[in-house]
Amino acid sequence: MNKYGDCYYCGGFVREINTSREIWWKGNLYIFEKVPVGVCQQCGEKVLKPKVAKDIDSVLKEKSIPQRIIQVPVYEYEMAAV
Ligand SMILES: [Zn+2]
């Protein structure tokens, strides 16, 4: 069963994988892991189910407690590149 239907762009087969998504929201970076995303096997186009997009939205809006928090190194190119 193809939950996503054929690719909107090329008609290729869309397979579901779990992947990470980085989302900038109100100036902060949020990472969602194990997000189900449909990926076209032919052109690589990614499809997010409306329910998944909505779930992510409400997690951000409700400021749900994350599973973990990581630190991210930030470099300013001009300062860091020698
Ligand atoms: Zn495609």
Side-chain angles (χ1 to χ4, degrees):
M1 248 308 269
N2 189 347
K3 289 188 264 183
Y4 291 86
D6 292 336
C7 174
Y8 179 80
Y9 294 96
C10 75
F13 179 73
V14 179
R15 190 167 65 96
E16 184 173 82
I17 59 158
N18 287 325
T19 187
S20 300
R21 289 182 76 86
E22 291 106 51
I23 296 162
W24 283 96
W25 193 69
K26 295 192 174 173
N28 290 309
L29 175 63
Y30 296 85
I31 298 173
F32 285 78
E33 292 181 322
K34 300 175 186 167
V35 180
V37 176
V39 181
C40 173
Q41 300 300 284
Q42 205 160 273
C43 74
E45 181 66 24
K46 290 192 177 122
V47 194
L48 207 60
K49 276 189 278 192
K51 184 193 181 296
V52 175
K54 227 171 105 190
D55 287 347
I56 288 176
D57 252 36
S58 42
V59 167
L60 290 170
K61 280 178 191 146
E62 285 161 25
K63 298 195 174 83
S64 307
I65 296 164
Q67 273 62 58
R68 60 197 174 91
I69 292 177
I70 62 165
Q71 286 186 312
V72 182
V74 178
Y75 294 103
E76 275 182 40
Y77 175 75
E78 292 278 319
M79 303 287 285
V82 185

